[in-house]
Amino acid sequence: QVQLVESGGGLVQPGGSLRLYCAASGSIFSIYAMGWYRQAPGKQRELVAAITSGGSTNYADSVNGRFTISRDNAKNTAYLQMNSLKPEDTAVYYCNADVRSTYNRRGDYWGQGTQVTVSS
């Protein structure tokens, strides 16, 4: 099995910062890409940021310049540093990974989500 677990969410005031963590474990041979998605109430899930094993990144326009995605390939861990948070950033944040398993199968895996609430 492959499991992704997010942590680091919470309540923060506008303008504040949070750092999210995503730890992947299980039958992992390699992870080609990892990403963060979010889903706000009444809205579809959207891509926030993604990073490849080589370090290439892309961001949603709404977070570009405020959020930074990073990863530790040796630890199969991804991070999302969120600065200058806005109320519209409030959502459940999900980690996603493009995984090559030890069974030599490539697939997409999701974490359970962590709540981020930005409110005064």
Side-chain angles (χ1 to χ4, degrees):
Q1 295 182 350
V2 175
Q3 183 177 6
L4 274 61
V5 178
E6 304 99 330
S7 61
L11 175 64
V12 65
Q13 293 185 347
S17 298
L18 285 173
R19 185 171 174 86
L20 304 184
Y21 304 80
C22 174
S25 61
S27 303
I28 298 171
F29 180 78
S30 63
I31 302 178
Y32 292 96
M34 302 186 75
W36 288 96
Y37 291 72
R38 68 186 182 188
Q39 187 166 25
K43 297 184 178 180
Q44 292 186 311
R45 189 173 299 185
E46 64 175 348
L47 175 68
V48 177
I51 185 168
T52 69
S53 60
S56 297
T57 60
N58 67 283
Y59 297 90
D61 289 342
S62 59
V63 307
N64 196 15
R66 299 187 297 119
F67 292 9
T68 302
I69 188 171
S70 60
R71 64 185 288 178
D72 186 332
N73 292 338
K75 297 180 179 180
N76 290 327
T77 301
Y79 311 89
L80 185 67
Q81 180 65 44
M82 304 185 293
N83 298 327
S84 302
L85 283 161
K86 303 175 180 179
E88 50 263 45
D89 295 319
T90 296
V92 177
Y93 284 70
Y94 297 90
C95 183
N96 174 263
D98 180 2
V99 176
R100 174 73 67 181
S101 74
T102 56
Y103 306 107
N104 200 32
R105 181 178 178 87
R106 189 169 181 173
D108 203 46
Y109 295 87
W110 292 90
Q112 83 291 342
T114 185
Q115 176 71 48
V116 172
T117 302
V118 184
S119 176
S120 60

